[in-house]
Amino acid sequence: EPVQGAIDLNKQSIVLPGDERIHASFAAKEDGSFMEVYYDGVTTLYEAFMKGMKLSDDGPCLGWRQEPDMKYVWMKYSVVHENSYNLGCGMVTKGYSPGQDTCVGIYASNSKEWIFSEQACNMFSMVLVPLYDTLGPSTCSFIINQAELKIVICDTTKRAEKLLKDH
């Protein structure tokens, strides 16, 4: 059963005053400026995740299909939180400091593990730096050097080996 959001999907923008008929986010104020926060006390992605867990009463958080013609399988917020927390703790245990000075690369396909990596970085205030096959080997190397990545999470041995070979 889908979780009902606080946003009306049929009213995702508002028309600002004036003849130009400029559309702005529903989150814009009438003068076109934007609100600072949507929910009080929610100023980070981690806080937004925790708010979602509370509002949904630990409801479905992450869904995927094992095969294209199958129904979605759903994972509760608490399970996503536990997996993400364990990954984040593992990175800290291995010597990667919590905080925005730690950039974590991720070289993976979209998957629940990608989301765990993203949420782990959010929990520990680390910066997530995505790498993609479509960028090509020289671009991935450039990003790794530019962001001074000391760690890259890969979803397959093949990707890890490719990254090591190309970098």
Side-chain angles (χ1 to χ4, degrees):
E1 179 177 330
V3 175
Q4 295 299 318
I7 299 168
D8 182 345
L9 296 179
N10 295 314
K11 296 179 183 173
Q12 295 182 54
S13 67
I14 60 170
V15 180
L16 297 178
D19 295 334
E20 299 89 0
R21 299 203 32 85
I22 297 171
H23 284 252
S25 167
F26 76 95
K29 297 177 184 175
E30 285 187 28
D31 65 0
S33 65
F34 291 96
M35 65 176 75
E36 294 289 321
V37 296
Y38 192 77
Y39 291 108
D40 287 336
V42 177
T43 59
T44 67
L45 292 170
Y46 177 66
E47 290 168 349
F49 179 88
M50 296 306 290
K51 182 75 170 184
M53 185 159 59
K54 182 178 178 183
L55 287 175
S56 72
D57 192 26
D58 192 25
C61 172
L62 179 59
W64 70 96
R65 292 182 179 161
Q66 294 174 335
E67 297 290 331
D69 58 344
M70 294 177 77
K71 287 187 173 186
Y72 275 89
V73 176
W74 287 93
M75 189 177 290
K76 290 181 172 251
Y77 270 90
S78 58
V79 176
V80 174
H81 186 275
E82 180 180 7
N83 281 282
S84 303
Y85 181 76
N86 289 341
L87 176 58
C89 286
M91 289 190 289
V92 171
T93 298
K94 289 293 183 182
Y96 301 100
S97 300
Q100 294 186 354
D101 290 335
T102 300
C103 293
V104 177
I106 182 163
Y107 190 34
S109 297
N110 289 341
S111 63
K112 58 185 183 281
E113 292 80 13
W114 204 104
I115 299 300
F116 300 153
S117 302
E118 176 186 37
Q119 291 302 325
C121 288
N122 292 343
M123 285 180 185
F124 290 87
S125 299
M126 297 173 178
V127 178
L128 185 70
V129 180
L131 303 168
Y132 301 98
D133 289 321
T134 55
L135 298 175
S138 61
T139 305
C140 286
S141 289
F142 176 80
I143 293 170
I144 289 168
N145 291 329
Q146 194 72 18
E148 299 178 5
L149 298 181
K150 304 288 187 258
I151 180 174
V152 176
I153 299 169
C154 298
D155 62 347
T156 64
T157 303
K158 183 179 176 181
R159 277 207 173 97
E161 289 171 345
K162 181 178 182 342
L163 208 57
L164 290 170
K165 181 180 133 296
D166 294 340
H167 186 67

